[in-house]
Amino acid sequence: MTVVAPCPHQHVCPLAAGTDWCHFSTRINRSSLHRRLKGGELGHEDEKFSYVCASRTGHEAAPGRILRHPLKRKGLVTLQVCTQGDGVQQTLVSKRQGKAYRRARSVEWGDAWPHSHPAAD
């Protein structure tokens, strides 16, 4: 059995134990009953989820996986990427990098990196 996702490797998790964990967040709408029961004021809350996909058959491992929402600023995208060999790396992709920058602007939390779209090449 091999891990397919979210890890791009079969090694010990490079995130510091107890301080961070591999997860994603999604916004859930609250009903009025849900707000009253939880004492919430907002019409939504952000729930965190984690997952593991495993396979009995071989698969092509992702070179890396994006661990957080990409930070997009004008001319620069910052990605936190879990890699196969170097652990967690902060990856900066500048506008000068052309195709890589355009791809980095479209990736999301959990996507493989480097991201490839053959049609975009």
Side-chain angles (χ1 to χ4, degrees), residues 9-88:
H9 56 77
Q10 303 300 308
H11 311 295
V12 174
C13 182
L15 296 174
T19 60
D20 200 2
W21 53 292
C22 219
H23 66 282
F24 65 95
S25 180
T26 190
R27 185 153 285 178
I28 306 292
N29 291 325
R30 291 179 175 165
S31 67
S32 59
L33 175 62
H34 189 206
R35 280 195 303 272
R36 283 195 307 270
L37 290 173
K38 291 190 88 173
E41 296 178 12
L42 299 175
H44 66 273
E45 68 180 289
D46 294 329
E47 290 287 344
K48 295 178 180 174
F49 297 92
S50 185
Y51 70 97
V52 173
C53 294
S55 176
R56 291 184 187 157
T57 61
H59 70 283
E60 185 176 338
R65 188 149 325 264
I66 299 171
L67 296 181
R68 300 287 173 265
H69 289 294
L71 178 60
K72 300 172 186 175
R73 295 180 297 193
K74 186 174 182 171
L76 183 69
V77 179
T78 305
L79 305 171
Q80 184 178 4
V81 181
C82 183
T83 65
Q84 288 184 6
D86 299 323
V88 178

